Amino acid sequence: MENDKNIALFIDLDNCNINTMYFDNAIEELKTRGNIVYGKVYGVSDRKHVAIISRANSYGFDTTTPMRVKKRGSKVFDTRIFVDVMDVVYTQNIDAVCVIAAPADMVYLYSKLHRKGISVIALDNADEESREFIDDVIDIGLVDVIKPQRKSAGKNMVGDMILPADKREAETDGSEDSESLLIDEIQQLLDNAVKNN
């Protein structure tokens, strides 16, 4: 993929648990593909996302609060992204659009972008139908944990976890910092799995 594209980035923070590490990884991944000329982060809270708001502001990105129509605790794709993507594509010189969000039906948006000649960049978590229109996938290090399954003895078992490439390398390089980062990451995943169960 060319690395001189003008990229518009849209992050639905409210439904995909992005922390500052994943945010920074997304920026670095996209910089290898071109220039991020527009960015917007959805679902930010002044209390929960101080560091991400600060980073977004440092890049000149827009931020917006969570959708009001969501039910408490629900993980619903922020539909404002659809309108904002098309607005930016029609008013700015954009070659590629990157949407970072939990899996959602993006077929109509992505197919419309393709008809306009815009490349689509996404995470590898897209639904099957949407994948058909994705031109490039970025790995930001986001680890999905398979929901724990019940054993017949009544104990919980955590499913296989897929570690991103940088974490697999960290496992083998033997450095104490890498090991402690990996341990912290695994502990966070286990805590989230227990909380979600």
Side-chain angles (χ1 to χ4, degrees):
M1 183 169 231
E2 300 171 20
N3 61 357
D4 60 350
K5 293 183 178 292
N6 287 337
I7 302 169
L9 170 63
F10 302 86
I11 301 176
D12 191 357
L13 184 71
D14 198 30
N15 83 356
C16 67
N17 300 322
I18 298 291
N19 65 24
T20 53
M21 180 184 75
Y22 304 138
F23 182 89
D24 292 341
N25 289 350
I27 299 300
E28 291 307 312
E29 282 278 325
L30 290 174
K31 282 181 178 178
T32 67
R33 289 153 172 84
N35 303 309
I36 305 169
V37 296
Y38 179 83
K40 188 163 186 178
V41 183
Y42 299 78
V44 297
S45 161
D46 290 338
R47 291 179 304 170
K48 285 175 48 177
H49 305 112
V50 173
I52 288 182
I53 292 171
S54 174
R55 280 175 166 75
N57 289 338
S58 73
Y59 287 109
F61 294 174
D62 294 330
T63 60
T64 187
T65 57
M67 289 191 313
R68 293 179 184 258
V69 296
K70 288 180 60 169
K71 293 180 181 176
R72 187 178 183 133
S74 65
K75 299 275 185 187
V76 178
F77 179 75
D78 195 324
T79 54
R80 297 174 293 183
I81 291 175
F82 292 125
V83 175
D84 292 345
V85 166
M86 296 317 295
D87 185 46
V88 168
V89 164
Y90 281 105
T91 60
Q92 298 189 33
N93 181 23
I94 300 296
D95 301 306
V97 166
C98 178
V99 177
I100 296 176
D105 182 359
M106 306 290 276
V107 172
Y108 186 72
L109 175 65
Y110 289 172
S111 65
K112 188 134 179 107
L113 290 172
H114 268 259
R115 286 195 301 275
K116 186 158 174 48
I118 306 293
S119 295
V120 174
I121 304 170
L123 301 181
D124 64 356
N125 65 349
D127 65 278
E128 195 63 39
E129 294 79 18
S130 300
R131 279 191 194 130
E132 179 181 336
F133 298 100
I134 295 174
D135 300 296
D136 193 10
V137 173
I138 60 172
D139 177 8
I140 64 172
L142 187 62
V143 178
D144 290 327
V145 176
I146 298 172
K147 189 168 182 166
Q149 299 173 353
R150 298 267 178 205
K151 284 187 177 179
S152 58
K155 293 184 179 178
N156 285 338
M157 176 178 78
V158 176
D160 294 329
M161 290 182 276
I162 301 170
L163 295 175
D166 61 327
K167 297 295 182 196
R168 285 191 300 271
E169 291 168 10
E171 266 188 326
T172 59
D173 74 3
S175 76
E176 289 181 29
D177 290 339
S178 296
E179 288 176 8
S180 68
L181 282 173
L182 182 59
I183 290 168
D184 291 344
E185 182 84 13
I186 291 170
Q187 185 60 51
Q188 181 182 5
L189 292 169
L190 292 172
D191 291 344
N192 288 340
V194 169
K195 190 180 353 175
N196 291 333
N197 193 19

